[in-house]
Amino acid sequence: MYWYKEYKSVINLKLKPNHPLYFPTNPTRYRKNFAQTIFDAVLKDQKLTPYDDEYFADEIPLEKVQKKLYRIEKGMKEDFDTDELVAYVDTIRILSSDIIEIVVREEKFFDKKRSVMDQRILGLAPVALIQNPETFEWEKTILFWVYFPAARQTLSNAKIYNP
């Protein structure tokens, strides 16, 4: 390798050319979408290791990933009719249909032996819209990173939506 540069690109799953990665939103017996395949490989089968950063240095425990995908928040809010504080319980669950983007970390390099510019994917990260509890703004949040060479076998065996 003579020269290389790292890039991050985003795959928007809501665009029509990327619908094979987004559908079916409800997994069937024979097909799952991209995000459900990743979630199952990380949580159920434990074939993939989730990482906290794009450099794959810090592994995330499965309990922390499960807390990101499903959590119960308790708090107090004001009742507008009586002007009193009322306790509330909010369940937050991120489904595979809530994943709107995939961040792809890749590197482009010049291979001296073959004299060609080439690229390889290093990592993938599902991105979901999550509401910030303090500001009530919807924010794009990277859930975790997956090392792509480890995920290649799992993704190649998954059946995808064919329109």
Side-chain angles (χ1 to χ4, degrees):
M1 197 177 332
Y2 186 66
W3 170 89
Y4 84 99
K5 188 165 184 176
E6 292 184 4
Y7 294 94
K8 283 186 190 172
S9 57
V10 176
I11 300 172
N12 187 350
L13 298 180
K14 298 293 185 171
L15 296 177
K16 191 171 183 176
N18 301 327
H19 278 185
L21 296 174
Y22 183 70
F23 287 105
T25 54
N26 296 324
T28 63
R29 183 175 177 186
Y30 300 107
R31 287 190 303 220
K32 299 184 272 189
N33 62 11
F34 177 81
Q36 189 65 46
T37 304
I38 294 291
F39 289 169
D40 288 348
V42 168
L43 297 172
K44 287 183 183 175
D45 304 335
Q46 298 180 1
K47 292 181 182 177
L48 299 179
T49 306
Y51 293 95
D52 199 24
D53 60 344
E54 67 259 19
Y55 298 108
F56 312 109
D58 300 328
E59 290 184 15
I60 302 177
L62 292 179
E63 295 83 25
K64 189 174 178 184
V65 173
Q66 289 172 343
K67 285 182 183 177
K68 282 185 176 185
L69 297 179
Y70 181 79
R71 66 182 185 271
I72 298 174
E73 291 184 355
K74 299 176 183 177
M76 302 292 283
K77 68 177 180 180
E78 184 178 351
D79 186 10
F80 294 110
D81 295 333
T82 61
D83 290 333
E84 295 178 0
L85 289 177
V86 179
Y88 75 94
V89 176
D90 189 15
T91 303
I92 298 171
R93 184 173 182 195
I94 298 174
L95 302 172
S96 62
S97 59
D98 297 332
I99 303 300
I100 56 165
E101 291 178 348
I102 300 166
V103 178
V104 179
R105 180 175 165 241
E106 58 188 354
E107 68 179 5
K108 295 185 182 182
F109 60 94
F110 181 75
D111 189 358
K112 283 195 309 190
K113 292 181 181 178
R114 297 183 298 146
S115 298
V116 293
M117 287 289 288
D118 208 354
Q119 68 184 31
R120 75 173 66 116
I121 299 173
L122 297 176
L124 303 168
V127 177
L129 276 178
I130 298 176
Q131 189 176 24
N132 188 340
E134 288 137 12
T135 62
F136 298 107
E137 300 272 332
W138 291 93
E139 300 173 349
K140 291 182 182 179
T141 305
I142 293 178
L143 299 176
F144 54 85
W145 284 90
V146 174
Y147 187 57
F148 182 75
R152 180 173 292 171
Q153 185 68 31
T154 302
L155 294 175
S156 67
N157 291 334
K159 297 194 185 317
I160 63 166
Y161 168 73
N162 189 4

